[in-house]
Amino acid sequence: MKHLNKALLFVFTLTLYSQNFVKDLSNVVNQANLPTNYSGSAFVDIDGDGDQDIYSSLRFFFINDGNGNFTLEEKDIDQQSGGISNGVSFADIDNDGDMDLALAGSPSAIYYNENNALSLSADSPVSLDNKNYGWAAAWGDYDNDGFVDLIITNPKGFLTLAQPCFLFKNNGDGRFTKIEDYEFNKELAAYTIPTWTDYDLDGDLDLFIGSGPAGTAARDYNYRNMLVESGSVDFIRIDDDPIGSDLQDGQTYNFIDFDNDMDFDIFLTNYGGAPDRFYVNNNGTYESVQNSLTIDGNNLANTWGDFDNDSYIDVIVTSENKTYYYQNNGDGSFSQKSNSITSNGAGRGAISADIDNDGDLDVFIAGASSVRGLYRNDLDNNNSWVKFNLEGTISNKSAIGSKVKIKAVINGKETWQIREINSQNSFNSHNSYEVHFGLADASVISQAVIEFPSGQKETLENISVNKTYDIVEEIPNDFLKSNFKGDVIEGFGSVEVQFTDLSIVGINNQITKWEWDFNNDGITDSEEQNPKWTFNQVGKHTVTLTLFSNSISDKLVREDYVEVKIQPGIPVVIEKYPMNQDTTISKSGSVDFRVDAKDTTGYNISYTWFKNNIQVSTDSTYNYKSFILFPAPRVDTVLVKISNSVNTKEEIWYVHVETTTGLEDQVKPINFGLQQNYPNPFNPSTIIEYSVPNNEYVTLKVFDILGNEVASLVNEQKSAGTYKVAFNASNLSKGKADLASGLYIYKIQAGSFNQVRKMMLIK
């Protein structure tokens, strides 16, 4: 352990002030009824006015007026992203100056921010239609091309659909390509919180993924990025002891320099299967140490910040039972402290930012009502501080992955500190991207070094304390990088595209010529900066932009960028069976339905079959069965939707189920019964079957997992028999909203008989 020789005088001065966090109940943030699930939160300047707003729990935005007072705005966040978890990560994904949102969920989604209005991305492969189910999300420029890429994790066993992790490469035009080259893209595991970090300080972002089986222990999925070493991206799983070999129940990784020796130490919160881990970095070799932080418990978040401005970062840890605050003593040890944050109750993400611009870090915690809220830091020790807001130009606009290093004389000793900007550094959550340092008694910062992901460095000398510095990455004079986007890149018949030049040029350089080639023939089609072009020929078209400046040129080729498709026709039914729209069968009969269709323009045909509005098949055939215990006579509707993805044709039949004079009509149930609903899982309708052997008053109700009644399906006297009833989660009584995805319970009560079963709604 390092720094055991700290002067006793310094340790003594730590006790001369109070660390006072105030939970102001009049603040609108503390009055909001936020969900208590595992949804994440973030401090982010969503409206671009220079102060830190709060996002929490799917759709709640608290807009900061600059003085720490907030106004609640509920954004139009699509409810399909709901579920037990919504991992949050903000970044400027299109480098247009505002912060966009990645929201992991069921399924996950990306929301573009345009003038403080969020719009759902329809871009494949990140659209909702692709059903990228996820727990957490994190932005990071893993290939150092100046655009942030996205990882979404999926914890096997905890979501309704188990999938590997999703990795989406940012193409630079606001669109994405799905990458499936790596282990974590192919294998299923209990992936929880992903963290992009340059843990080995070699200039590229590595990937650490906590993998919490919730009660058992396993190796986490941690990867070293080989970009700098080999010149191309590759993720090699870390086997080094102990960070690659220890068995974890991993939740949140953080990479922090707790002892101010200018390398990243590691702290990991674990759930019940392993204790929290603390790894001290000794010149690139990690040592697992035991201290007051390496506790057992169902721990989730850890968030780091110099909350007392003494130049050593402290930590807040949340768990299913309690929130903890640990003060860094500056001698390699931590002391657990009690304050208003350290409440009993389930804490989730804990995040920090200076909401009132007074130089100390305030805290927001999500979770149960006993701990949830905004805690203002009313620090009274007069310690100095400094803050930096970074903006990338060659690097990604949000400056994610940047490192800030400062040097100052603190308590008579020259001291360096380092921070890294991360997009996921709490449980499903992240802190403000504004970089904060505490400086204790320092009166001046002798040097500040800002290292952007591009490798560009900005150095400031002898700057004042107690100030905020806005640092924009400088573009070298001889820099030139081509980039562009099209407003649309596919369509039918002909596609008119408005191109926008997104190129970057050095401050004292100048673009003298734009050459656009729209048909890949090597001939310039336009010399406008932002041309409009119509593509008429069916197929995929490569677009090339070549830039010329005073002394250099640069070319960008986007292969198969614009696609013109044949205008699809209407599906034509070649054959169907039965030919007649009406068909009659007995109670125990069956009938095969079959359709053969073609599209005259060559598009693929899909079939979707429905029985009484419930989807039952996606083949070209469907076998309808009528069971002897189902009531008769009745008429069931069978419908098939035939689609070429643009146009749809429907065929419909009516199946008349008749009562016969056979033995089956005399069969009556001899016992009460409640059957498993079918289909299950369902969306949005399902059938529930029940039996009563004699005349009884019957109630059949549906409840959510908390025991709240959501529907009453039967509430009347029933004669002996077997019945079925339809339940539609999107067709509830007036005034009730459609049900969200999740687990529901249905219960029958008939005389002294009662029984419950579970069913799963998946949207």
Side-chain angles (χ1 to χ4, degrees), residues 704-730:
D704 64 22
I705 197 65
L706 297 178
N708 301 309
E709 181 181 325
V710 298
S712 178
L713 305 181
V714 179
N715 190 14
E716 61 185 352
Q717 190 77 26
K718 288 288 188 181
S719 57
T722 298
Y723 301 88
K724 67 176 182 177
V725 60
F727 171 58
N728 190 326
S730 299

Side-chain angles (χ1 to χ4, degrees), residues 435-607:
V435 180
H436 169 273
F437 293 91
L439 291 166
D441 64 348
S443 58
V444 67
I445 299 167
S446 55
Q447 190 175 70
V449 180
I450 293 89
E451 298 179 358
F452 288 94
S454 66
Q456 287 288 105
K457 292 185 179 180
E458 308 287 340
T459 301
L460 308 175
E461 305 279 354
N462 298 318
I463 61 175
S464 300
V465 300
N466 300 336
K467 291 185 64 176
T468 301
Y469 294 90
D470 296 328
I471 309 295
V472 179
E473 182 181 18
E474 185 175 330
I475 306 174
N477 288 337
D478 60 350
F479 188 84
L480 182 65
K481 182 179 180 180
S482 301
N483 191 26
F484 64 86
K485 70 176 181 180
D487 60 342
V488 295
I489 58 172
E490 65 179 16
F492 300 102
S494 67
V495 181
E496 184 181 74
V497 183
Q498 174 65 63
F499 288 95
T500 302
D501 173 34
L502 303 174
S503 305
I504 302 174
V505 63
I507 297 174
N508 297 320
N509 202 352
Q510 182 178 355
I511 299 175
T512 58
K513 190 177 183 181
W514 292 263
E515 288 187 354
W516 296 85
D517 181 0
F518 297 122
N519 50 18
N520 203 30
D521 62 358
I523 300 174
T524 299
D525 297 306
S526 175
E527 294 184 359
E528 296 180 32
Q529 181 178 3
N530 299 302
K532 183 179 290 186
W533 191 262
T534 300
F535 297 84
N536 295 307
Q537 185 176 352
V538 172
K540 294 182 178 180
H541 299 265
T542 295
V543 177
T544 301
L545 169 62
T546 306
L547 296 179
F548 297 87
S549 70
N550 298 327
S551 58
I552 56 176
S553 64
D554 188 63
K555 178 189 292 187
L556 174 64
V557 179
R558 295 198 186 276
E559 295 184 358
D560 298 335
Y561 189 60
V562 178
E563 183 178 9
V564 181
K565 302 177 182 180
I566 298 173
Q567 187 69 41
I570 297 175
V572 176
V573 175
I574 306 300
E575 182 183 6
K576 70 175 184 178
Y577 180 85
M579 293 293 294
N580 296 326
Q581 191 176 45
D582 291 274
T583 186
T584 301
I585 62 172
S586 66
K587 285 178 64 176
S588 58
S590 67
V591 59
D592 288 319
F593 290 88
R594 183 177 67 253
V595 171
D596 181 22
K598 292 185 179 180
D599 181 85
T600 56
T601 49
Y603 282 80
N604 292 329
I605 294 292
S606 65
Y607 303 89

Side-chain angles (χ1 to χ4, degrees), residues 150-161:
L150 178 65
I151 185 168
I152 297 173
T153 57
N154 182 301
K156 178 184 177 183
F158 291 86
L159 299 180
T160 54
L161 183 60

Side-chain angles (χ1 to χ4, degrees), residues 365-381:
I365 301 176
S369 58
S370 59
V371 67
R372 180 180 67 234
L374 177 63
Y375 297 83
R376 189 181 68 243
N377 187 353
D378 288 347
L379 191 63
D380 61 2
N381 61 9

Side-chain angles (χ1 to χ4, degrees), residues 301-369:
N302 66 92
T303 189
W304 292 77
D306 189 355
F307 298 106
D308 52 12
N309 283 346
D310 69 347
S311 80
Y312 288 93
I313 51 177
D314 315 296
V315 63
I316 296 169
V317 177
T318 68
S319 75
E320 298 284 18
N321 305 306
K322 183 179 175 63
T323 298
Y324 304 88
Y325 177 85
Y326 294 93
Q327 183 185 77
N328 188 337
N329 296 323
D331 60 357
S333 68
F334 293 83
S335 296
Q336 184 177 338
K337 300 294 183 179
S338 296
N339 51 48
S340 59
I341 287 177
T342 56
S343 303
N344 291 324
R348 313 300 191 195
I351 54 176
S352 64
D354 183 6
I355 63 168
D356 45 12
N357 294 313
D358 63 353
D360 53 36
L361 291 174
D362 310 289
V363 176
F364 175 81
I365 301 176
S369 58

